[in-house]
Amino acid sequence: DFLPDALGSAQVLRPELAEFPYLQCLAHLEWRIHLAKLAKDDDAGNWRRFAALSSAAEGACRLRTSHALAILRSVYPIVVIWRRHTHPGLPADNLPGPVCLCIHREGRFGMGVSRLASREFGIIEAIMAGATVTQLERHSQGMSAGDITNTVIEWIGQGWITGYESGADDA
């Protein structure tokens, strides 16, 4: 966990590292992947109970993310670098703009790094910060309620969201 900060300090002290400004961010990504691999398994959420909640009760819930989920924002194309070295056969991700990443499990033992649009990143960031379902719209950068719902449902299917907290009881 010390490596990202050590690389940042080394870049200040070692001029030959100046041409690699992304090293600290890449080390943050690698560390988050490592922690996600070691994360405990998630309990299954009770989505039938969630579906039975009233709209007001559902809106007051806080969604729970997987223990193996992490997010990272970078100005550098670290996902391109990471994929070239870990998955050389995958097509390049050369989308413009800041890189918003979600680190997650794929299957039982695999790890994935997915690039998210800024508005999706805002939603997952809000979920991780404890926003209620109703508050997610504030963080969605103009997504419709239906698009937010579809995104959350997709993330439940991918195992990124694993349950919810209703305040009265956890599920």
Side-chain angles (χ1 to χ4, degrees):
D1 65 343
F2 69 89
L3 189 57
D5 292 334
L7 284 170
S9 297
Q11 286 180 303
V12 172
L13 300 172
R14 306 290 305 236
E16 63 269 24
L17 294 177
E19 66 183 278
F20 306 106
Y22 56 83
L23 284 178
Q24 186 175 16
C25 236
L26 188 59
H28 278 293
L29 173 61
E30 287 287 350
W31 182 244
R32 286 189 172 101
I33 291 168
H34 175 74
L35 291 176
K37 286 180 183 178
L38 300 175
K40 71 179 187 173
D41 291 338
D42 298 301
D43 296 327
N46 188 337
W47 296 110
R48 285 190 180 129
R49 189 181 325 160
F50 183 79
L53 294 173
S54 69
S55 293
E58 183 180 299
C61 289
R62 287 174 168 67
L63 299 174
R64 189 172 53 233
T65 59
S66 169
H67 297 295
L69 189 87
I71 57 174
L72 180 65
R73 186 185 303 259
S74 174
V75 296
Y76 303 108
I78 57 175
V79 69
V80 174
I81 297 164
W82 181 80
R83 282 194 177 131
R84 281 189 184 147
H85 291 278
T86 59
H87 300 84
L90 287 179
D93 173 359
N94 295 320
L95 299 173
V99 179
C100 301
L101 301 175
C102 182
I103 297 99
H104 52 87
R105 281 198 181 127
E106 286 185 341
R108 182 79 176 125
F109 299 108
M111 292 305 305
V113 177
S114 296
R115 184 162 181 183
L116 301 177
S118 291
R119 59 193 200 170
E120 293 171 329
F121 189 87
I123 294 171
I124 199 79
E125 189 174 43
I127 290 169
M128 294 177 88
T132 65
V133 170
T134 301
Q135 294 169 337
L136 293 181
E137 196 168 330
R138 279 189 236 153
H139 303 277
S140 67
Q141 299 177 18
M143 286 175 76
S144 71
D147 286 342
I148 295 169
T149 299
N150 289 337
T151 298
V152 168
I153 290 170
E154 180 181 331
W155 291 344
I156 291 168
Q158 291 171 319
W160 297 7
I161 296 175
T162 57
Y164 67 96
E165 298 169 2
S166 65
D169 59 355
D170 296 343

